[in-house]
Each structure stands twice: as C-alpha cells, then as structure tokens.
Amino acid sequence: MKNIAIIVPEQSVLQAIADPQYCFSAVNEFLTRSGGDPLFHVELVGLNPEVKLNDKHYSVFPDKLLATATAPDLVVIPALFGDMKKAVEANEAYIPWIKAQYESGTEIASLCVGAFLLAATGLLDGKKCSTHWGFTNLFRELYPEVEVQDGTIVTEENGIYSSGGANSYWNLLLHLVEKYADREIAILTAKYFAIDIDRNSQTAFSMFKGQKTHQDEAVKKAQEYIEEKLEERITVDALADEVAVGRRSFERRFKRVTNNSVLEYIQRVKVEAAKRSFETTMKNITEVMFEVGYSDTKAFRTTFKKITGLTPIEYRNKYNKFARMN
C-alpha cells in the first residue's frame, strides 16, 4: 500500500487537488474489480481544518493536519493560483514539512505551478523541473538555481517529479500510476480518463512572450527590431550594429536577460508569428514561410517542429478551425 499525501494549499487550484485523488482512487477501483488489492491510501493534508478556494466558492476539508498525517510515500503539491509570490508566502508553513518528508525518503510531485512551492523548499536547486510554459520566466527569476525544462510535460530527478502546464499534470499522474502499479493499469487509467498517455511536450500549446521585463535597453531595442522586421533575414551582426554594441558583448547580454541566444529568440518570434497565421488564416505553408522571413522550406519546417513539436501542416490542421472543417 502506497500512502499518498495530497496537500491542500491556500490559493490553490481545486481541480489539482480533486484530480489526483480521483485518479488514485480510480486505480484502486480497477484493481479491486479485477480481484486484486487496492494500491493507494490517499489523504488530503492541510494546515487548517477547512481551506476555502476559488474566492471562497468552495471549501476543502483535509483528512489530516500536518502534525497527524500518515507518513507518506509520495507528497503531491497541487497547482497554485494567482500571484505566485503571494501564493508561496501563504503556504510557507508547508516548506519544512515537505523538506522533512523528502529527507526521510518520501518522493515529491508538483503539479503545474505547484513547482513554485516545491522550488521554495530548495529541494530543486541544481535539479531539473517542469512547470507551466507561461510561468517559466518568473520561475527562473525567482529560482535561478533550478534548471527549468522548456516545453517538457514530465520531469523526474532523484525522487522529485514535476509536470508542465494545466492539464499536463494528468500525464504525471499516469507516469506515477505506471511506476507504482504497471503499464497495463496506466493504459487502463489513460483510457478511462481519455488522456494521451505518451504526450511528452507542451510546446505546441505555448505562446512565446517577449521576455522584456529586464532593464537592458539595448536588448529591448533589438527585440523590438526583430518583431518589426519579421519578413527579413536578420543576422546577429546586423542587430549588434543596430544597437551599437559589440557582437560578443551583445550576445552575452541578450542571453543573460532573455535566457535565449539571439538566434533562438529570432526563431521563436518568427515561429510565434507563423503559428498565429496558421491558426487564423488559410494561407499555405509557403506564404506563411515567406511572411516570417524564411526562403528555405526545409529550414522553416525543421525550426517550426523543433519549437512546437509539430510540423507546420500538423499545427495548422490541429488549431485552425477552417482546416479542420475541410
């Protein structure tokens, strides 16, 4: 029997508490129906007897408080909601307990932006971590010692698990079911909940944001230039000249404040523009390619797939409602 503690943080996402409880309970049901024994003992663990969520529209009543919780084999940290800094501050009392559980051999799993609370424990320092694609810049700013995995659905390192954005946490739950039970039960669970068990990337869902919260004005000027000249082939030398900074210094500064090399940034801006065109127009691949400054079909396709995980045609067919109707 695996003891699973799902904590009930303040300012958390109700579904990210209920879904893991539902998942592990369903696995128990599958096992008992086939003549086996239940595998999981699940407890909701909280700081208070009642936790109000979603602007107090819902109340969650933990089974146990921290002091009386059963020694867990796995602690699940649900996604937080709202201002991440304030949400972590509201749940600081969990931090020493989570650390103590890990140090005693318990595994830890964070769902989506639950990674912020996990990272606040220091357990992720020097380790890899997944989180919601929309929060990676803030995460890197707050926890620079953690190696964020861009676009990854599930990350596992030294008994610590983390998942990508939003419903991606279902893939982590299936990963845990497969580890604690077996592949057959994980597949049955995936079918029951209609989850793609082997989805391993959230890149197709991500929307690239300009990463302009820094104070380096030369880099900001270069970013704006890239966005205004989408149809052009832009070189690093040309950008460095545009902002009157030596190339080597420019590249170092750009990487430091955006976490992308200049070339990576150019590619991501162009691909984001191409994604929007594929989503909203019926332009063909060649037209979109030229619009964002590519003249080589193979190079465009390779770059697009590297960033989104899909080919241009696959992306258009998946996200353009007119293409889906044809």
Side-chain angles (χ1 to χ4, degrees), residues 6-135:
I6 304 170
I7 67 171
V8 185
E10 302 288 337
Q11 295 180 228
S12 58
V13 176
L14 178 64
Q15 293 85 345
I17 298 167
D19 284 347
Q21 182 187 43
Y22 187 11
C23 176
F24 296 125
S25 298
V27 170
N28 282 343
E29 183 72 11
F30 301 152
L31 292 170
T32 55
R33 282 187 180 182
S34 63
D37 296 320
L39 179 60
F40 300 113
H41 173 252
V42 183
E43 289 182 345
L44 301 185
V45 178
L47 297 171
N48 300 297
E50 179 183 8
V51 181
K52 294 185 176 182
L53 302 175
N54 289 33
D55 293 326
K56 300 183 179 180
H57 286 103
Y58 300 97
S59 289
V60 179
F61 300 92
D63 301 301
K64 299 283 184 66
L65 299 182
L66 288 189
T68 60
T70 304
D73 297 293
L74 173 71
V75 172
V76 177
I77 304 174
L80 305 178
F81 184 76
D83 184 302
M84 288 297 113
K85 292 181 182 178
K86 292 180 180 177
V88 170
E89 290 171 2
N91 293 286
E92 285 181 341
Y94 281 110
I95 291 175
W97 184 82
I98 294 169
K99 291 174 67 176
Q101 301 313 306
Y102 183 71
E103 289 163 1
S104 66
T106 296
E107 297 189 312
I108 312 291
S110 69
L111 309 184
C112 189
V113 288
F116 281 78
L117 182 55
L118 175 56
T121 67
L123 295 175
L124 283 175
D125 288 357
K127 297 184 180 71
K128 298 179 176 63
C129 175
S130 295
T131 191
H132 194 293
W133 57 263
F135 289 81

Side-chain angles (χ1 to χ4, degrees), residues 120-225:
T121 67
L123 295 175
L124 283 175
D125 288 357
K127 297 184 180 71
K128 298 179 176 63
C129 175
S130 295
T131 191
H132 194 293
W133 57 263
F135 289 81
T136 53
N137 290 339
L138 176 61
F139 191 92
R140 285 190 172 101
E141 177 187 329
L142 295 178
Y143 307 111
E145 300 303 316
V146 182
E147 188 179 340
V148 182
Q149 302 297 288
D150 286 317
T152 304
I153 292 291
V154 174
T155 298
E156 174 183 354
E157 185 170 354
N158 295 342
I160 296 179
Y161 308 85
S162 53
S163 69
N167 288 330
S168 295
Y169 64 66
W170 273 102
N171 292 88
L172 174 52
L173 296 177
L174 293 175
H175 178 77
L176 293 168
V177 169
E178 182 173 352
K179 176 174 181 176
Y180 292 138
D182 56 37
R183 178 73 174 179
E184 183 179 354
I185 291 295
I187 291 172
L188 175 58
T189 307
K191 289 180 177 178
Y192 182 81
F193 289 105
I195 304 296
D196 180 358
I197 190 171
D198 288 322
R199 185 162 68 88
N200 57 17
S201 175
Q202 59 178 331
T203 51
F205 308 109
S206 67
M207 293 182 291
F208 180 61
K209 297 180 180 180
Q211 301 173 329
K212 296 175 184 171
T213 56
H214 58 83
Q215 303 303 314
D216 192 318
E217 294 303 320
V219 172
K220 282 185 182 178
K221 182 179 178 181
Q223 290 173 286
E224 290 165 2
Y225 184 89

